[in-house]
Amino acid sequence: MTSEEQMLDIWKNIFGRQVGPDTDFFDDLEGDSMAAAAIVHWVNIVFGVQLPMIEVFDRPTPSELTGAVDELRAAAR
């Protein structure tokens, strides 16, 4: 399973519906701070990173957030 597929699964489980790589946290899902906290929590567990919550707001799609995770993983090497 790719990183993006894992990210999509996290979002699907939090929002209770299918999401695509370009689904927008704000415009499509009307995400709030609780949903952002849940995303950060599960991203940190699944990917083994410490994702700052601001990233959810700065990169509001699963695809963009996967990029942030990839950058964190690369920096940790």
Side-chain angles (χ1 to χ4, degrees):
M1 182 178 277
T2 67
S3 295
E4 188 167 273
E5 290 169 335
Q6 289 176 299
M7 184 69 71
L8 290 169
D9 278 348
I10 291 169
W11 285 49
K12 176 184 165 192
N13 289 330
I14 291 168
F15 290 102
R17 65 184 218 191
Q18 281 300 122
V19 297
D22 297 320
T23 301
D24 189 275
F25 180 79
F26 301 105
D27 295 335
D28 300 323
L29 300 171
E30 299 179 6
D32 58 20
S33 59
M34 293 300 289
I39 289 171
V40 168
H41 172 77
W42 286 107
V43 164
N44 291 346
I45 289 171
V46 169
F47 294 103
V49 298
Q50 291 299 311
L51 182 74
M53 189 178 296
I54 191 68
E55 292 292 349
V56 177
F57 300 105
D58 288 345
R59 301 182 195 208
T61 68
S63 180
E64 292 173 324
L65 204 56
T66 300
V69 169
D70 291 343
E71 290 169 14
L72 287 170
R73 290 169 129 183
R77 292 184 191 144

